[in-house]
Amino acid sequence: NIQAVRIRSAKQKLSTTSLSIEEIAEQCGFCNTSHFIMVFRRTTGITPLQFRIMGDNAQKPPEREAFVIFAS
């Protein structure tokens, strides 16, 4: 799928270049930066900036647990 290819390319650029997020979004074929960030986060679980900071060791964060408080 084309989005998977774009995200893979973005990960490579985030890891190996100092291009801005905006430049990477454009080079990977996204129409705007906001859309790129949304798709990247939905796909990987983290933002492009978080991926850049964490590097290839970035893993999807654990799901948040919901706690229910019952009133008596």
Side-chain angles (χ1 to χ4, degrees):
N1 122 3
I2 189 71
Q3 275 193 350
V5 172
R6 289 177 175 169
I7 294 299
R8 211 169 20 252
S9 177
K11 285 179 173 182
Q12 186 269 331
K13 291 176 188 300
L14 288 164
S15 298
T16 61
T17 73
S18 59
L19 293 170
S20 70
I21 302 299
E22 292 81 9
E23 290 171 308
I24 291 172
E26 184 179 329
Q27 288 185 13
C28 292
F30 288 90
C31 56
N32 64 58
T33 305
S34 297
H35 181 68
F36 166 62
I37 293 170
M38 181 187 72
V39 171
F40 192 96
R41 186 172 188 160
R42 187 174 54 216
T43 304
T44 66
I46 58 175
T47 67
L49 183 58
Q50 289 170 321
F51 182 87
R52 174 170 269 166
I53 292 167
M54 297 167 71
D56 275 333
N57 295 325
Q59 294 180 351
K60 191 171 185 174
E63 296 293 324
R64 294 184 183 158
E65 293 184 27
F67 292 96
V68 178
I69 299 174
F70 294 98
S72 50

